Amino acid sequence: MKKILLPFFILTFLPAQLMAQPLVDSPKYQKARGKMVSLQIRLRGVSDKKVLNAMSQVPRHRFVPKELLSQAYADHPLPIGQGQTISQPYIVALMTEKLKLIGNERILEIGTGSGYQAAILAKVAKEVYTIEIKEKLYKKAESLLRSLGFSKIKTRHGDGYFGWPEAAPFDCIMITASIDHIPPPLLKQLKDGGRLILPLGNPFSYQHLSLVTKYDDEYTVKQITGVLFVPMTGHALDQNPRVTNDIP
Amino acid sequence: MILAAVFLLSLSSLALEVLLTRVFSISQWNHLSFMVISIALFGFAAAGTFLNIIDTQKKDWEKRLSSSGPVKIFIILYTVTAIGSFMVLNRIPLDYFRLPLEPVQIFYLLTAYLLLTLPFFFAGLVISLAYAFIPEKSGFVYFASMAGSACGAIIPFPFLPFLGEGRSIILAALIPLIIVPFEKPTTNKKHALTKNISRGKRFAFQVTCLFIVLMTGLLVSVEDGLEPKVKPSPYKDLSRFLQFPDTRIFETVTGLRGRFDSVHSPYTRFAPGLSLKFKDILPEQWVIYKDGDTPFFIYKQQLQKDEWFSKFTLPYAGYMLVPNPEHILLIQDGGGSGIPCAMASGACNITVVEQKPKIAHIVRNHYNIPVVNQNPRAFMAQSDKHYDIIHIENWGGSLPGSDALTQGYLFTTASFSEYLNHLTENGILIMARKLLLPPADSIRLWAGAYESLRSLEFENPERHIAVLRNWSTFTLIVSVRPFNDMTGLKDFARDMNFDLVYIPGITKEMVNRFNIFDAPYHFFEISRLAEAYRSGTEEAYFETYPLDVAPQSDSRPFPGRFLKWNRLKALYKITGSRFYSLFMSGEIVVCVVFLEALVIAVFLLMIPVFTIKKQDKKPNISLLLYFLAVGAGFMFLELFFIKKYIFIFGDPVISLTVVLTGILVFSGFGGCCSQRIGPGGLRYVLIALIAVLIFIFLGLDPMIHRILELSKILQYTLATLLLILPSFLVGLPFPLGMRFLLNRPAHRAYAWTANGCASVLTSIISAQIAISLGIPIIILCAAAAYLVALLMSNTKTIGQK
């Protein structure tokens, strides 16, 4: 009997192992993700349940290079090659939360990158349109998002500066690439009352997020301060005690 | 033979050092260049330690190793390791940006250290052998070394534009091979222990040289893979930009001042400070990158309308205050968006000052406006023109913290005074910069403007200053006339959705309306600062503020430096306890490198102490201190002049070349003349040197300012002449010490080690001294070092001949 079981074992187990995705969402990654959400995101004040759920569900490790897998859930951004980075988990969560999504929004993301941010947005909003100008990144992200079952995300290879006029207007626009001015065409594709969010600063140092809100033809730009970037003046320290309770 | 070897190896190794600095500046950021090259120079010092260890094993090693055969072997090894290390380094994926994140980068860094140390080790070996073997000719050895180094400082200049960095390095590495195929029969009795090289060995050397040259020629001529082209890090601006479709470099010009890549792309869009009210499309642009970063944008002005976007930018607030300006002066240091601003104002005369010759040439040809290729401070010192508007554009580096070590004179209080003195009676000064949080740069510039106005005896200086911002940039405006009516500025800000930060009579209700922070931090801080100046407590304000925001002077011109060491812990916490964010700071890198260098120096200096068994043969502390002091003094002097001359020439590369060449040549002559000085002369030399250094500390500044007003030829001439006396004198202590203070070859090798260690440590610490205490302190440090040398030279514990 044992002799029969052995070849049976070899014939079934081994091919299964060979064919298995090397990056399955194993308990190890699930645990790391849970810890990431608790310690890096919830504890820093992100409380939107939809966002927290999205961060808990989307397997971030699928979006990082294999050689950095061990750091996929670490509390910092990661280089993903070709001069690109995947943002720190907290920044992704914060940016998503600040858009105040209720689930029926149409969102445009400029700069698909790894595709991680688009995946998070897809869990929270109704439709996600994402544009990536670099073809290699676009193809990789599109393939990955499709393989992960994100059918709500429409991807495009193109120049995000001009937005996605055919699908406009949008409730929200998220720019993930660094820029020195907000593209006028994007502001035109924002609905009245719509929000545009973008991070400013060096990805490996400090960043501050800016939220642009459109009212008729007037715009306000609100700086959102995060853990990484709270002003150091005594005045600000008094007003932001969470700075001194930073998470290790 | 050995003197020729010393000359050629010194030439080649300094050229190698200069070129490697260029390579790292292009492929990485200056931080990594500083890190790697500083440590690699310990190769020189390590050679002396190695010879000390040999001394414990072999007798008469200095005679054997300094004969023709071994010297040629060392030269060959130098060339092979120089070329090999560069080729390998060009291929390993060492990336400064990923250094704090990927553990494997530490391995790459250590590999870089080790590989680059090797060629300097072999060069140092030959030079220290020369001192050990012919101490009675120390002066000539010194001259050969200094003269060779001086040539090495200049040689990259003509070759770089044609060969590029990689091929220039290879050529520099091959130079010492010139003497290897040749053999001069020696009659020197000192080499009695060694015979002349046999014909067979001579032939072997010749074949080896030919082989190396041919292989190298093959390497550099191969199209793919092995071509030694230097590529920027994928995280540099240029590399990221090149990934956009239809984006290509159409011209590359390389030289000692940098590599300039001109890029065409349909995705070039630069408009810092652009209002959200601008609805149109920006004009087409193209961009020039310097060393893969620091872009300069050129706007294709097809229609008059294309300039209109400038009227929606923040700096235009200043132009709006001067209707119909006649004369505008633009001082450009990166960016390029100031030119469309000036053109949109309708001014009849626009003058641009641009230091980089390549960019000056392009701007002149493209915009058809006068461009002065000159150091801005020199231009201001030589010009008596007055302008309605002076606009300074400088956006800083792309990597935060990378500017901390950068010396620049655009924003010192003295510069503010120059600008104000060149404005008409209704003139306006405009400065556009990136907005930082926490407030830093805006405070510093406001303070610089205030102190300058005060020194020029303007009443109520704060009434002449205004600051506006948007979400990522700010503009400082200084007016010759006090701002009495702010209506125009307020309307402009409101219409464009910009925010006021400071205007005379500003209140809290007027700020933070369109670009909203949690609190109006910049308004708060500048208001506090203004109050501090009114009450005379501005020093206390600068003392208590978490960052160093005090206005910069010409003695301490580091506009990008904000770190306060006593607040480092708080800074670390505030950035989320992330070590890598601190690593972006140039100052932190200096500290890390200094600690690394100190460990290596102690290691190299202690090895002989522990390996030499006989007490009377061990190097003694006085010997060590003397040569440490002499090495430190020389380097302090060199770095002092390099930093000082940046003020004259405006460019650190030009300054480095002039100073290095001058100091090396004149100190070489000093070394040569040391042959005529007897043992009693050392004391007087050191006393004279200390006196000259103190005189330089007290009297150089007025001379430098006077030189600034002169023509370029006179600047170069006088700057070089000023180097003669101190350089000549610093060329004496080392060879005199070698001749008269030491009596063993091993001690001479050890002295070489001490000198080398001191040079490296000093070059690193000088950067910090300049930033923290000011450039003049460096020359005082030089004087102090030579004082130590004087005291040590008087002790009787050093062996006398």
Side-chain angles (χ1 to χ4, degrees):
Chain A
M1 188 64 182
K2 282 182 186 175
K3 286 183 184 173
I4 296 168
L5 280 176
L6 181 59
F8 177 75
F9 173 82
I10 292 167
L11 285 170
T12 52
F13 181 73
L14 279 179
Q17 278 298 301
L18 288 168
M19 288 174 62
Q21 291 281 350
L23 302 172
V24 290
D25 199 15
S26 66
K28 177 180 98 170
Y29 291 122
Q30 288 166 10
K31 192 178 170 190
R33 202 154 59 242
K35 214 172 153 190
M36 172 190 84
V37 171
S38 310
L39 295 180
Q40 297 175 30
I41 296 169
R42 193 181 280 124
L43 219 51
R44 282 192 175 123
V46 174
S47 57
D48 187 317
K49 283 195 178 126
K50 288 194 283 298
V51 174
L52 292 172
N53 285 339
M55 298 296 292
S56 301
Q57 288 165 20
V58 174
R60 182 177 161 93
H61 62 280
R62 296 294 302 272
F63 295 87
V64 308
K66 286 196 177 103
E67 58 269 19
L68 291 175
L69 264 182
S70 61
Q71 298 186 61
Y73 294 98
D75 188 20
H76 52 73
L78 291 170
I80 57 173
Q82 299 176 356
Q84 304 301 307
T85 56
I86 178 174
S87 295
Q88 179 195 10
Y90 170 68
I91 295 289
V92 173
L94 185 66
M95 287 177 73
T96 310
E97 187 183 54
K98 290 301 176 184
L99 288 176
K100 290 188 169 50
L101 303 170
I102 56 175
N104 62 355
E105 292 90 357
R106 299 171 74 247
I107 303 180
L108 172 64
E109 183 197 25
I110 309 297
T112 316
S114 66
Y116 179 64
Q117 176 74 76
I120 297 292
L121 288 170
K123 290 280 185 188
V124 185
K126 183 178 162 198
E127 288 175 70
V128 176
Y129 295 79
T130 182
I131 306 177
E132 173 56 53
I133 198 163
K134 291 158 196 156
E135 196 171 2
K136 266 188 199 166
L137 282 180
Y138 156 71
K139 282 182 175 164
K140 194 173 172 190
E142 193 205 26
S143 163
L144 180 58
L145 288 169
R146 198 164 289 162
S147 73
L148 290 172
F150 285 101
S151 53
K152 273 200 290 190
I153 301 176
K154 294 171 187 53
T155 56
R156 176 183 269 191
H157 171 230
D159 184 0
Y161 190 89
F162 297 102
W164 198 315
E166 305 87 350
F170 298 97
D171 298 282
C172 304
I173 298 177
M174 183 182 285
I175 304 175
T176 59
S178 60
I179 53 170
D180 59 68
H181 67 277
I182 298 173
L186 290 184
L187 292 171
K188 282 185 190 166
Q189 291 172 26
L190 201 57
K191 278 182 186 170
D192 192 36
R195 286 92 64 204
L196 184 154
I197 193 165
L198 66 153
L200 293 174
N202 183 279
F204 287 101
S205 180
Y206 60 81
Q207 294 173 59
H208 55 102
L209 306 182
S210 296
L211 180 72
V212 181
T213 311
K214 180 178 177 179
Y215 297 106
D216 294 327
D217 198 35
E218 296 290 319
Y219 301 92
T220 57
V221 182
K222 190 175 189 322
Q223 300 283 358
I224 302 155
T225 55
V227 164
L228 274 193
F229 203 50
V230 176
M232 290 169 62
T233 58
H235 177 86
L237 279 171
D238 291 341
Q239 302 240 314
N240 295 279
R242 66 184 172 177
V243 171
T244 58
N245 296 326
D246 196 24
I247 295 152
Chain B
M1 161 80 192
I2 198 162
L3 285 180
V6 166
F7 176 84
L8 290 172
L9 282 169
S10 300
L11 183 156
S12 177
S13 57
L14 190 61
L16 185 68
E17 191 185 325
V18 168
L19 289 165
L20 282 173
T21 307
R22 284 270 73 244
V23 165
F24 279 110
S25 296
I26 295 167
S27 65
Q28 301 290 329
W29 280 270
N30 289 338
H31 297 30
L32 193 68
S33 169
F34 187 77
M35 283 174 77
V36 178
I37 293 173
S38 300
I39 300 300
L41 292 176
F42 271 114
F44 281 121
T49 301
F50 177 74
L51 292 175
N52 268 267
I53 296 171
I54 297 283
D55 183 63
T56 63
Q57 307 296 323
K58 293 267 182 213
K59 279 185 182 177
D60 295 323
W61 54 267
E62 73 279 9
K63 291 172 189 166
R64 292 178 201 277
L65 291 177
S66 59
S67 62
S68 177
V71 167
K72 289 183 181 184
I73 291 173
F74 296 145
I75 292 174
I76 290 171
L77 285 171
Y78 165 83
T79 299
V80 168
T81 52
I83 295 173
S85 61
F86 168 69
M87 299 298 271
V88 170
L89 270 176
N90 211 27
R91 274 151 188 83
I92 60 173
L94 172 63
D95 195 316
Y96 184 80
F97 222 50
R98 286 153 40 203
L99 200 54
L101 291 170
E102 291 179 9
V104 72
Q105 292 288 332
I106 304 289
F107 168 72
Y108 294 146
L109 182 66
L110 290 174
T111 305
Y113 283 166
L114 186 63
L115 284 176
L116 285 177
T117 302
L118 290 174
F120 295 109
F121 172 79
F122 290 115
L125 208 53
V126 173
I127 299 171
S128 60
L129 275 169
Y131 282 116
F133 181 59
I134 41 172
E136 71 280 6
K137 293 185 183 174
S138 290
F140 295 131
V141 176
Y142 192 84
F143 175 76
S145 178
M146 293 295 119
S149 298
C151 294
I154 309 172
I155 274 216
F157 253 123
F159 292 110
L160 207 45
F162 302 103
L163 298 178
E165 297 82 14
R167 289 190 174 93
S168 298
I169 283 179
I170 290 170
L171 179 66
L174 288 172
I175 289 175
L177 285 181
I178 291 171
I179 56 168
V180 171
F182 305 103
E183 181 69 24
K184 182 184 165 188
T186 180
T187 53
N188 194 326
K189 286 178 190 168
K190 281 197 166 189
H191 279 133
L193 281 175
T194 59
K195 300 172 188 174
N196 282 340
I197 299 177
S198 66
R199 196 172 282 182
K201 280 186 185 168
R202 211 182 308 157
F203 181 70
F205 278 125
Q206 289 162 352
V207 167
T208 305
C209 283
L210 190 62
F211 177 76
I212 292 172
V213 171
L214 285 174
M215 280 304 297
T216 308
L218 189 67
L219 277 173
V220 301
S221 60
V222 168
E223 281 299 316
D224 303 318
L226 294 176
E227 203 206 326
K229 201 169 172 197
V230 178
K231 289 179 189 156
S233 159
Y235 294 94
K236 277 203 158 183
D237 244 1
L238 174 61
S239 302
R240 287 189 288 181
F241 191 51
L242 284 174
Q243 290 172 42
F244 282 64
D246 303 320
T247 301
R248 58 181 183 88
I249 299 173
F250 66 89
E251 187 192 37
T252 296
V253 171
T254 197
L256 266 188
R257 295 176 90 149
R259 180 199 281 184
F260 295 91
D261 293 295
S262 299
V263 182
H264 265 149
S265 171
Y267 308 103
T268 317
R269 294 151 189 146
F270 181 70
L274 184 69
S275 166
L276 298 185
K277 293 297 196 72
F278 180 74
K279 302 282 188 237
D280 227 319
I281 302 293
L282 292 173
E284 236 183 291
Q285 309 162 27
W286 53 281
V287 57
I288 308 147
Y289 283 95
K290 178 180 174 279
D291 292 340
D293 227 22
T294 323
F296 189 95
F297 294 83
I298 302 286
Y299 296 82
K300 291 183 186 175
Q301 315 265 128
Q302 281 134 8
L303 302 164
Q304 187 86 13
K305 197 178 97 126
D306 287 340
E307 295 154 12
W308 287 3
F309 86 92
S310 321
K311 294 187 174 178
F312 286 78
T313 60
L314 196 49
Y316 202 78
Y319 286 84
M320 220 221 11
L321 295 172
V322 185
N324 307 315
E326 273 193 51
H327 298 275
I328 295 180
L329 175 67
L330 261 174
I331 297 178
Q332 294 276 176
D333 188 13
S337 59
I339 299 174
C341 265
M343 296 176 89
S345 71
C348 318
N349 301 292
I350 301 172
T351 303
V352 177
V353 176
E354 167 56 60
Q355 283 193 88
K356 303 174 201 63
K358 173 67 182 167
I359 294 183
H361 174 76
I362 290 173
V363 169
R364 188 183 296 121
N365 288 348
H366 179 79
Y367 290 110
N368 201 25
I369 51 177
V371 179
V372 178
N373 175 218
Q374 195 175 11
N375 166 17
R377 285 294 296 270
F379 173 80
M380 306 296 282
Q382 293 168 21
S383 167
D384 55 5
K385 275 193 179 161
H386 287 75
Y387 302 90
D388 298 298
I389 296 175
I390 296 178
H391 181 176
I392 319 290
E393 185 182 2
N394 171 268
W395 301 104
S398 62
L399 192 68
S402 61
D403 280 350
L405 304 178
T406 302
Q407 192 173 327
Y409 292 89
L410 286 180
F411 305 112
T412 64
T413 45
S415 293
F416 271 101
S417 300
E418 284 282 6
Y419 303 142
L420 289 167
N421 284 333
H422 283 80
L423 284 172
T424 56
E425 58 181 21
N426 294 314
I428 292 284
L429 169 67
I430 303 170
M431 285 183 177
R433 299 272 284 166
K434 276 184 198 163
L435 189 72
L436 299 178
L437 267 182
D441 204 20
S442 51
I443 300 175
R444 174 172 280 162
L445 291 191
W446 193 98
Y450 185 97
E451 291 192 7
S452 172
L453 287 160
R454 186 171 62 180
S455 71
L456 294 172
E457 296 177 353
F458 280 78
E459 277 187 32
N460 300 317
E462 71 267 24
R463 294 202 63 82
H464 296 255
I465 308 173
V467 180
L468 291 87
R469 67 169 179 85
N470 70 343
W471 42 281
S472 64
T473 68
F474 76 93
T475 292
L476 176 92
I477 301 170
V478 186
S479 170
V480 174
R481 289 196 182 280
F483 287 119
N484 292 322
D485 180 9
M486 303 306 302
T487 313
L489 211 54
K490 286 181 195 172
D491 289 345
F492 178 81
R494 185 201 60 231
D495 293 341
M496 295 292 163
N497 286 179
F498 294 140
D499 277 287
L500 301 169
V501 175
Y502 179 85
I503 55 171
I506 196 167
T507 61
K508 193 179 166 187
E509 290 67 39
M510 295 159 73
V511 304
N512 212 34
R513 293 184 303 164
F514 301 103
N515 302 277
I516 305 165
F517 289 118
D518 282 349
Y521 300 116
H522 298 82
F523 160 74
F524 281 148
E525 289 309 322
I526 292 181
S527 299
R528 279 180 60 212
L529 179 62
E531 180 53 43
Y533 272 111
R534 278 193 288 272
S535 59
T537 56
E538 65 269 20
E539 290 304 323
Y541 175 89
F542 293 129
E543 187 65 40
T544 53
Y545 194 74
L547 299 174
D548 177 4
V549 294
Q552 298 290 287
S553 64
D554 283 350
S555 296
R556 205 166 74 100
F558 300 96
R561 191 254 179 168
F562 299 107
L563 182 70
K564 270 187 177 176
W565 285 97
N566 58 4
R567 303 286 224 145
L568 190 61
K569 205 172 165 188
L571 179 66
Y572 179 62
K573 276 186 92 179
I574 288 288
T575 53
S577 302
R578 282 172 186 75
F579 173 68
Y580 63 76
S581 60
L582 291 182
F583 213 62
M584 298 292 152
S585 161
E587 262 188 274
I588 305 276
V589 170
V590 167
C591 179
V592 167
V593 176
F594 182 76
L595 292 172
E596 286 176 358
L598 193 60
V599 167
I600 296 172
V602 167
F603 177 72
L604 290 175
L605 291 169
M606 285 295 112
I607 286 180
V609 174
F610 290 112
T611 53
I612 297 170
K613 300 228 175 356
K614 286 192 179 172
Q615 189 59 39
D616 61 341
K617 290 189 176 181
K618 283 184 195 271
N620 64 48
I621 189 78
S622 300
L623 174 158
L624 176 63
L625 286 175
Y626 177 85
F627 284 96
L628 279 173
V630 165
F634 186 102
M635 198 51 76
F636 275 131
L637 178 82
E638 187 178 294
L639 287 161
F640 168 78
F641 273 105
I642 289 172
K643 290 187 175 303
K644 256 319 199 198
Y645 280 9
I646 291 175
F647 180 70
I648 300 174
F649 301 115
D651 189 312
V653 175
I654 303 294
S655 175
L656 178 88
T657 307
V658 169
V659 171
L660 262 191
T661 310
I663 285 186
L664 293 171
V665 165
F666 298 128
S667 66
F669 281 121
C672 219
C673 293
S674 72
Q675 293 292 126
R676 296 168 184 261
I677 299 175
L682 178 56
R683 269 184 72 216
Y684 298 106
V685 163
L686 288 168
I687 291 170
L689 181 51
I690 293 167
V692 165
L693 294 177
I694 292 173
F695 175 76
I696 289 172
F697 172 73
L698 296 170
L700 185 68
D701 259 357
M703 287 190 247
I704 295 268
H705 279 87
R706 189 71 190 94
I707 291 173
L708 199 65
E709 296 167 10
L710 304 172
S711 66
K712 254 189 190 165
I713 292 184
L714 281 175
Q715 284 178 356
Y716 281 102
T717 308
L718 290 173
T720 305
L721 289 175
L722 277 177
L723 293 172
I724 293 179
L725 183 59
S727 305
F728 182 87
L729 289 172
V730 299
L732 297 168
F734 185 82
L736 286 174
M738 281 290 194
R739 277 169 63 206
F740 300 124
L741 299 182
L742 307 170
N743 58 6
R744 295 191 70 245
H747 284 177
R748 293 189 186 99
Y750 191 71
W752 171 257
T753 300
N755 189 268
C757 288
S759 298
V760 176
L761 289 169
T762 307
S763 64
I764 300 168
I765 200 73
S766 296
Q768 190 58 52
I769 292 173
I771 289 171
S772 301
L773 302 173
I775 296 169
I777 301 300
I778 299 177
I779 198 72
L780 282 184
C781 292
Y786 283 112
L787 182 62
V788 168
L790 176 65
L791 294 170
M792 292 303 113
S793 70
N794 284 339
T795 63
K796 291 178 185 169
T797 49
I798 295 181
Q800 299 279 336
K801 254 207 164 171

